[in-house]
Amino acid sequence: MSEPDAAPAGSQPAPSNLVLRVLAALVLAPLAIALAYAGGWLWALLVTLVSIGLFAEWLTVVGASSVALTGAGTIVIATMGFCVTFGALKTAVIIGCIGGVMVMLIARGKFVWAATGFAYASAALLASILVRKDLVNGFSALMFVLLVVWATDIGGYFAGRSIGGPKLWPRVSPKKTWAGALGGFAASLAIAAGFAAGGIGKAVPLLLVSAVLSVVSQLGDLFESAVKRRFGVKDSSHLIPGHGGLMDRLDGFVAAILAAWIIGFVRHGVHSAGSGLMVW
């Protein structure tokens, strides 16, 4: 999620935009948490639909959208989601590889950007489902990632608005400030401390993991901003009031959940990534 334009210290965010953001969050956050708790095919269905939306928005942003390309990507991502949900991960990966080649062939002159978008959406799909599929710590791991990303966004929003100051990377994202980045980082550490205080994981490892995920999530935000700036696009869509599109809302989460799965996979294997993230 992009941080709003920096304002002089003590100024307040635009009420209309803030109200829209809060209302959207009050609807979407409980829904996401409920489906994450349910897990199984319900969470996988949400993730699959969102991943399809991410791919469609990406194609629109990079100017490669077409019925054939969007349709092919939708079918492949939906099939991958079905396969990984019901335990056929290898099949999902094979289908994804074949689908990636199909996307490149259909996209022709835009094949690099189309393939990148397909990889982006597919990585979000697989990582989000696989982290949750851990039967022991899947839900706590997924909630940890979600809360770290949300805390980073919220902390960055209010620190950037209230403090302002030097820009983080003005050529890529003129709205983000160092104050916002540090505020979001500090807020993410509070999430780790809260989990440790509640007996879910050890303090030091969780603080280190939250630090990594917060930084990665902000890099994901900058990556999406760079892509939009490259193609002269402000918002990936207007799907979510006050937040823009799925890419605008989930840029940090996509990067963070992929990093979280990699950490968990390296430590505990492909099917226990949640435990690998949370148990040290």
Side-chain angles (χ1 to χ4, degrees), residues 107-128:
R108 297 185 179 181
K110 291 274 189 177
F111 71 93
V112 173
W113 286 106
T116 303
F118 180 78
Y120 181 82
S122 298
L125 172 82
L126 295 177
S128 298

Side-chain angles (χ1 to χ4, degrees), residues 3-11 153-167 175-184:
E3 180 186 318
D5 287 317
S11 65
D153 284 349
I154 294 169
Y157 183 95
F158 286 104
R161 293 294 299 194
S162 60
I163 300 173
K167 302 298 176 65
K175 298 179 180 181
K176 295 186 73 65
T177 64
W178 280 101
L182 293 174

Side-chain angles (χ1 to χ4, degrees), residues 123-143:
L125 172 82
L126 295 177
S128 298
I129 294 176
L130 288 172
V131 167
R132 180 61 184 91
K133 278 179 73 72
D134 184 324
L135 296 177
V136 180
N137 291 289
F139 177 65
S140 61
L142 182 58
M143 286 307 305

